[in-house]
Amino acid sequence: MSTVASLVREEDAASVAAPPRDIRIALLGLGQVGSAVAALARTSTHASHRFAVASALVRSPERVRPIDPSTLPLTMDGAAALDTRPDVVVEVLGGLEPARTLVLAALARRIPVVTANKSLLAAHGDELIAAAARTSTPLLHEAAVLAGVPFLGTFSRRPLASDVTALSGIVNGTSNFILSRMAADRAGFRQALLDAQQAGYAEPEPSKDVDGDDATEKLCVLLRHFAGISVAPALIDRTGVGGVEPCDLECASSFGGAIRPIVAAEWESGTPSAFVGPAFVASSHPLSRIDGVQNAISLRTRWSGDVFFSGPGAGPTVTAATVLDDVVEAVRLGGTPPLLRATRTVTSCDVPVTGWFIRLVADDLSDAQRAPATLTRLGVRVRRVSPVVERYGQQRQWVLAGPCTDAHVRAALDVLETTAGCRTRPIRAIE
Ligand SMILES: NC(=O)c1ccc[n+]([C@@H]2O[C@H](COP(=O)([O-])OP(=O)(O)OC[C@H]3O[C@@H](n4cnc5c(N)ncnc54)[C@H](OP(=O)(O)O)[C@@H]3O)[C@@H](O)[C@H]2O)c1
C-alpha cells in the first residue's frame, strides 16, 4: 500500500526523471514585448519546459530591435509563421489586423494562442472566444491587463473566488505616472507628460493612454472575464486625465485623498455600470496609495470579500514572463476548453452612482459658503469644502460631495453656473 510519503517520493522521482519538454513558439511580433519574449525564451531555466522560437513575424526585417534578430527565423508572412507547426502561437503584434486573422487561423488549426493584445480582445473578443470554444483550443491573455500581476488565470480556476460583483483599479501606468508627477512636483500636465515620455513611460503619440482609451479596453477585458459581459469600448463613459490641474491634486491631498486614473465597474443588478477617468480616491481606499507607473486592482467578491492586487502593469520583461507562463499553461491545458467564458453582449452601459470632487472657478468666490450652500439646497450632499484660493488669475474652490447620479450633479452644477456665475468641473470620487 502506498503511503503519502511514498507517493510524494514517487512524484518527485517522476518529475526529476522527466526531461524538459520543448515548446515551439510562433512569435507574431518582435517589438518591445516580442523581443523580450524571444530573449527570455532563450535564457529561461524553466524546470519542465524549454522554449524555441520557430518563427518570428515582423513587418520591417531591417528595423533595429531590442534583440539581435540574426539568430531568429524572421518572416514577413503570417501564414508561413503558422505553417511552422508551432505548439503555441504568441500574438504580440498589437492592433486589430493582421492579429485577428492570424489568431483565428491558429485557433482553426487547434494551435493554442497566447495574446497580450487588449485592443484585439476588446474589439473581437466574442469572435475569438467562439472560435476557441468551437475547437477546444486554449486562448490565454493574462498579460493583456496588469501584465506583471498574474491574477486572471488564478481566478479562472476558482469559481467561488472568481464570483466577482464589482471592481475598481488603476490599469494605465502612463496616466498614473503623470498624475503622481503632477502631485509630487506641482508640475502641469504637459510637463508631466514630457517627463513620462523622457522616462519611456509614454508613447510619442500618447493619446490612447491619456484619453482613457487604453484603460477602457482593459476594462472591457476585465468585464468579460469577471462578469461574462461583452461591452463595446465606445459604450463606456470615459474622461482623460488631461483636464486635471496641479491645484486639484493639492486640494485632494488636503482632503486626505489623491486623484488617480480609475476604472470601475459593477454589475450585480445584471446591467453593468462603469466609468473610466480621473477620480478622487479617499485615503481609506488602497488605490490611493498606488503611484507612479504601478497598477492595481481591487475585486469585490461575493464569498471572499475585497481582494487587492498591485504590481507592474507593463514593461517588456515582466510582460514576457507572464506571456511565457501562459505558453506553459496553454500546453498544459491542451485540448481542454479555453479559460475565457461565454459572454452575453450588452448594448448599453450605465454610469455608476458615485461621490463627486468638484472644482469651482470664478472671478469672485469671496463668499466661500455660497456655492456649497446652493449645492446643498439642490440635494447634493456636501461633505468637505476647501478654502478659496487664487490660481491662474482667478479664484478656485473645491467641494467633495456624497454619492449622487450624474444627472443630479450635472443639473445642480448647471444651476450653480447660472446663479453664481462660476465654472465647474466635476470628477468622480470613490471610497
Ligand atoms: N509594451 C508593453 O510593456 C506591453 C505590456 C502589456 C501588453 N502589451 C501589448 O503587447 C502587444 C505588443 O506591444 P509592443 O510594445 O511589443 O509593440 P511594438 O513594439 O510596436 O511591436 C509590435 C511588433 O509587431 C510587428 N508588427 C506589427 N504589425 C505588423 C504587421 N502588419 N505585419 C508583421 N508584423 C507586424 C512589428 O514589426 P516591426 O518590428 O517590423 O515593425 C513589431 O515587431 C500590444 O498588443 C500591447 O498592447 C505591451
Side-chain angles (χ1 to χ4, degrees), residues 30-33 58-60 63 65 92 94 98 116-118 315 319:
L30 195 64
Q32 294 297 319
V33 176
V58 296
R59 194 171 27 193
S60 322
R63 198 184 125 185
R65 298 173 191 282
V92 282
N117 187 343
K118 68 259 159 185
T319 307

Side-chain angles (χ1 to χ4, degrees), residues 4-5 18 33 93 107 142 195 250 370:
V4 171
V33 176
L93 296 161
L107 294 172
E142 184 70 64
D195 292 348
E250 261 175 68
R370 187 165 162 225

Side-chain angles (χ1 to χ4, degrees), residues 13-317:
S15 64
V16 167
R21 174 164 175 198
D22 290 324
I23 303 179
R24 299 177 72 254
I25 297 170
L27 190 52
L28 309 184
L30 195 64
Q32 294 297 319
V33 176
S35 295
V37 169
L40 193 58
R42 199 176 280 166
T43 55
S44 107
T45 49
H46 205 282
S48 55
H49 295 91
R50 280 190 311 238
F51 305 102
V53 175
S55 57
L57 177 65
V58 296
R59 194 171 27 193
S60 322
E62 69 289 351
R63 198 184 125 185
V64 177
R65 298 173 191 282
I67 188 172
D68 172 8
S70 60
T71 56
L72 290 169
L74 295 194
T75 175
M76 292 167 69
D77 180 347
L82 300 188
D83 284 343
T84 55
R85 298 185 158 275
D87 297 303
V88 179
V89 164
V90 168
E91 187 278 303
V92 282
L93 296 161
L96 302 185
E97 288 292 355
R100 169 183 159 274
T101 302
L102 291 173
V103 168
L104 287 172
L107 294 172
R109 295 185 193 188
R110 294 192 155 82
I111 307 171
V113 174
V114 171
T115 178
N117 187 343
K118 68 259 159 185
S119 306
L120 178 68
L121 293 164
H124 296 300
D126 293 350
E127 184 185 22
L128 302 181
I129 291 162
R134 214 167 30 246
T135 56
S136 287
T137 307
L139 168 62
L140 303 185
H141 65 290
E142 184 70 64
V145 187
L146 267 72
V149 186
F151 70 107
L152 293 175
T154 305
F155 275 80
S156 300
R157 288 189 292 273
R158 312 193 82 81
L160 292 182
S162 70
D163 193 349
V164 173
T165 57
L167 63 86
S168 55
I170 295 172
V171 297
N172 184 271
T174 307
S175 298
N176 205 34
F177 176 90
I178 288 171
L179 293 183
S180 304
R181 178 53 65 98
M182 288 172 68
D185 300 349
R186 302 193 177 175
F189 171 77
R190 285 190 185 289
Q191 181 58 51
L193 172 58
L194 207 62
D195 292 348
Q197 286 169 325
Q198 278 167 359
Y201 296 142
E203 301 285 334
E205 208 302 272
S207 57
K208 239 190 132 171
D209 290 322
V210 298
D211 293 348
D213 296 350
D214 171 85
T216 304
E217 288 176 350
K218 288 169 177 166
L219 182 56
C220 290
V221 174
L222 291 168
L223 272 167
R224 182 181 280 110
H225 194 92
F226 288 111
I229 289 172
S230 168
V231 55
L235 296 177
I236 294 181
D237 183 80
R238 95 195 59 165
T239 316
V241 293
V244 177
E245 295 179 348
C247 47
D248 295 328
L249 295 148
E250 261 175 68
C251 177
S253 165
S254 76
F255 283 172
I259 296 179
R260 300 281 180 239
I262 297 297
V263 299
E266 57 189 11
W267 51 88
E268 195 147 37
S269 67
T271 309
S273 65
F275 79 90
V276 173
F280 173 87
V281 183
S283 59
S284 54
H285 198 297
L287 290 175
S288 70
R289 293 182 285 282
I290 302 300
D291 58 12
V293 287
Q294 289 292 95
N295 282 196
I297 189 135
S298 177
L299 301 171
R300 174 146 303 160
T301 70
R302 199 180 300 281
W303 312 113
S304 316
D306 288 352
V307 294
F308 189 74
F309 300 86
S310 67
T317 304

